[in-house]
Amino acid sequence: MKNKKIITFLIITFLWSWTSWLIGLNYLKGGITQETMSVFLIFFFAGVYGPTISAIITCMFFDGTPGVLNLFKKLLIYNVSYKNYIFIILAPIIFVIIGIGLYSFLIGDIGNIEPKAFLSIPTILWAGLYAGPLGEELGWRGYLLPEFQMQFSNLRSAIFIGIIWFAWHIPLFWAPFGTLVSGEAISFLPVITYFAMLICLSIIITWLVINSKGSVLVAILFHLSINAGIALLFFPELNLDFKKVHLLSSVGMLLFTAILIVKNKPLWNKNP
């Protein structure tokens, strides 16, 4: 039964998302115009919500209305340690600052700092909320993570979801946006770096969720904070190269993830 739940969830998720994205990409074959981009955006956002839609459908089929209600309750778990909220804010900022530092050292000038950039933070966060975190986390961390944890250790569950998360994004590699390798020539180094980032982020989010009573809200907020790249807003001259900065931020993620695993061995080797 456990495997049936996981397999059903994954089939619905990939069918929904990949079908939506492939239809959307088909509209861009003749070139990107305002009209074709508008149509693509519809299918892009439809696909983004694949994991959440799949979680609801799968949960309803196997566990009925009570199961769906329990799933949604995870969105309301907010009474967790304040340290988790501080981490959600600061960790992504530190990762990006590391990326900016590496960009300056390896690539070139980062330009001037724009102090007034903080005024745009609410807009960026609001736009980013429904562009990924809301569509994904109820599925990945709300439904799939507990199902994996029933069979595997916390670390293996996190890694499995990271691999699935990466595979789920693959059609968007050929989209104008959607991943850190979208809109660019596909090459090994950016793709493998993106893969490593998603594995690291999956491990970090799993750690956060475990230490937040299973809160999907915490997962959504961290996902949002990562996507927003708030520190980058203060360096407007890096806007054209923001993907490189984010890819370079993987160095910070890798270091932190390694420390997280080493310092929390008992947590990673057990099921919740």
Side-chain angles (χ1 to χ4, degrees):
M1 181 63 75
K2 294 173 185 176
N3 286 336
K4 286 182 180 179
K5 287 183 176 182
I6 292 172
I7 292 169
T8 302
F9 169 82
L10 292 177
I11 289 173
I12 296 173
T13 298
F14 277 78
L15 273 178
W16 180 285
S17 297
W18 280 28
T19 300
S20 298
W21 290 336
L22 291 174
I23 292 172
L25 287 170
N26 187 61
Y27 279 92
L28 298 180
K29 279 186 175 179
I32 298 177
T33 64
Q34 185 174 352
E35 183 180 354
T36 58
M37 182 57 73
S38 296
V39 176
F40 171 76
L41 282 171
I42 294 171
F43 287 101
F44 169 77
F45 283 110
V48 163
Y49 281 79
T52 288
I53 291 169
S54 178
I56 296 168
I57 293 172
T58 307
C59 199
M60 177 62 78
F61 181 79
F62 287 100
D63 303 308
T65 302
V68 175
L69 291 176
N70 286 332
L71 180 66
F72 277 106
K73 284 179 182 177
K74 297 177 184 179
L75 291 169
L76 306 176
I77 300 174
Y78 67 90
N79 187 20
V80 300
S81 172
Y82 71 90
K83 293 180 181 178
N84 290 337
Y85 290 112
I86 292 175
F87 178 84
I88 286 168
I89 296 170
L90 293 184
I93 291 175
I94 292 171
F95 294 155
V96 173
I97 288 175
I98 291 172
I100 292 171
L102 289 172
Y103 183 97
S104 176
F105 180 73
L106 298 172
I107 299 176
D109 186 25
I110 60 175
N112 297 318
I113 298 176
E114 176 50 71
K116 293 182 180 179
F118 74 90
L119 295 173
S120 64
I121 292 176
T123 303
I124 294 295
L125 291 176
W126 174 250
L129 180 62
Y130 60 82
L134 276 181
E136 298 180 45
E137 291 305 330
L138 195 65
W140 302 137
R141 256 60 68 164
Y143 188 79
L144 188 57
L145 177 59
E147 291 297 327
F148 271 137
Q149 287 172 317
M150 291 181 188
Q151 304 179 58
F152 308 108
S153 69
N154 291 323
L155 182 58
R156 289 180 70 185
S157 298
I159 292 172
F160 288 156
I161 292 178
I163 294 170
I164 292 166
W165 200 11
F166 172 83
W168 177 75
H169 281 94
I170 286 175
L172 294 178
F173 290 0
W174 289 270
F177 51 82
T179 75
L180 291 179
V181 296
S182 301
E184 309 285 344
I186 306 299
S187 57
F188 178 77
L189 186 58
V191 170
I192 199 66
T193 302
Y194 184 62
F195 174 78
M197 289 178 72
L198 291 190
I199 297 294
C200 289
L201 289 174
S202 184
I203 292 171
I204 294 170
I205 298 175
T206 297
W207 170 72
L208 269 174
V209 170
I210 291 172
N211 287 288
S212 302
K213 308 171 187 176
S215 173
V216 173
L217 174 63
V218 164
I220 288 172
L221 292 177
F222 183 75
H223 191 157
L224 173 61
S225 188
I226 283 288
N227 283 3
I230 290 174
L232 201 51
L233 297 176
F234 294 87
F235 297 87
E237 293 176 47
L238 288 177
N239 282 343
L240 294 176
D241 248 357
F242 76 96
K243 291 178 184 176
K244 288 181 181 177
V245 174
H246 279 296
L247 288 171
L248 288 169
S249 73
S250 64
V251 173
M253 292 182 194
L254 285 165
L255 290 173
F256 180 80
T257 303
I259 294 170
L260 197 62
I261 293 173
V262 170
K263 286 187 170 291
N264 295 273
K265 284 185 178 180
L267 179 145
W268 295 116
N269 293 327
K270 70 177 183 179
N271 302 88

